[in-house]
Amino acid sequence: MASLNVGNLGEYLREQRNAAQLSLRQLADAAGVSNPYLSQIERGLRKPSAEVLQQVAKALRISAETLYVRAGILDEREREELETRAVILADPSINERQKNVLLQIYDSFRRENGFVPETDKADKADETPEADETPEADETSGAGDALKADAAEDDNPHS
């Protein structure tokens, strides 16, 4: 985990609070934290937990992931992945099945390029092998293969 730059986080929180036209007390109330504690965070004297940052982000209506990056809890690449997932999941113009397929394709391409999706990291940490499970049952590998086949057909001028 990266070291915490509390001063930078505090400055950023103060800027966001001022932009939202909230007093320290109003933000503390909205986030469910004490006024003195929030003041200490803004002055760089306290290291807030991820849960507190999430509550503050919600009260400010900003991305919690942005605060996690500023606090050194999350690195920039992980934040970008989470934001990409959030955009896909929030899109009202596609249905749930389509969202799941897009996320599977996204994960497949990231794996192909050497990145392990956060969902895979969590699954691997919690995974206990079952007797009837096989690695070939990975649904995401087929999504990437299907797209590769489509791309190959597009590249072949004779088909």
Side-chain angles (χ1 to χ4, degrees), residues 10 17 27 37 42 49 66 70 75 81 83 87 91-92 94 112 115-117 124 126 141 155-156:
R17 179 175 57 78
L27 179 56
Y37 182 61
E42 281 194 2
S49 68
T66 300
R70 294 243 177 205
D75 75 19
E81 178 185 349
E83 287 179 351
V87 168
D91 189 336
I94 58 177
E112 185 177 306
F115 295 101
V116 178
K124 299 254 184 281
D126 297 335
S141 61
D155 290 340
N156 186 351

Side-chain angles (χ1 to χ4, degrees), residues 52-114:
V52 167
L53 289 174
Q54 185 175 24
Q55 291 168 229
V56 170
K58 186 175 179 183
L60 288 171
R61 296 182 180 181
I62 61 174
S63 163
E65 288 81 10
T66 300
L67 293 184
Y68 296 160
V69 169
R70 294 243 177 205
I73 294 172
L74 190 65
D75 75 19
E76 186 69 21
R77 191 172 60 212
E78 291 171 336
R79 180 186 70 85
E80 290 170 358
E81 178 185 349
L82 290 171
E83 287 179 351
T84 300
R85 291 178 175 287
V87 168
I88 292 170
L89 292 171
D91 189 336
S93 67
I94 58 177
N95 65 39
E96 291 304 310
R97 184 189 62 78
Q98 292 167 330
K99 290 175 186 181
N100 287 330
V101 169
L102 273 176
L103 289 174
Q104 289 174 353
I105 293 169
Y106 177 68
D107 288 343
S108 174
F109 285 146
R110 287 182 55 83
R111 262 194 301 280
E112 185 177 306
N113 293 332

Side-chain angles (χ1 to χ4, degrees), residues 114-158:
F115 295 101
V116 178
E118 287 302 307
T119 53
D120 283 359
K121 289 178 189 173
D123 290 346
K124 299 254 184 281
D126 297 335
E127 194 174 89
T128 53
E130 300 283 330
D132 57 23
E133 286 185 347
T134 60
E136 294 82 35
D138 182 8
E139 295 175 21
T140 59
S141 61
D145 293 341
L147 283 179
K148 283 186 226 172
D150 289 345
E153 286 177 18
D154 292 343
D155 290 340
N156 186 351
H158 303 290

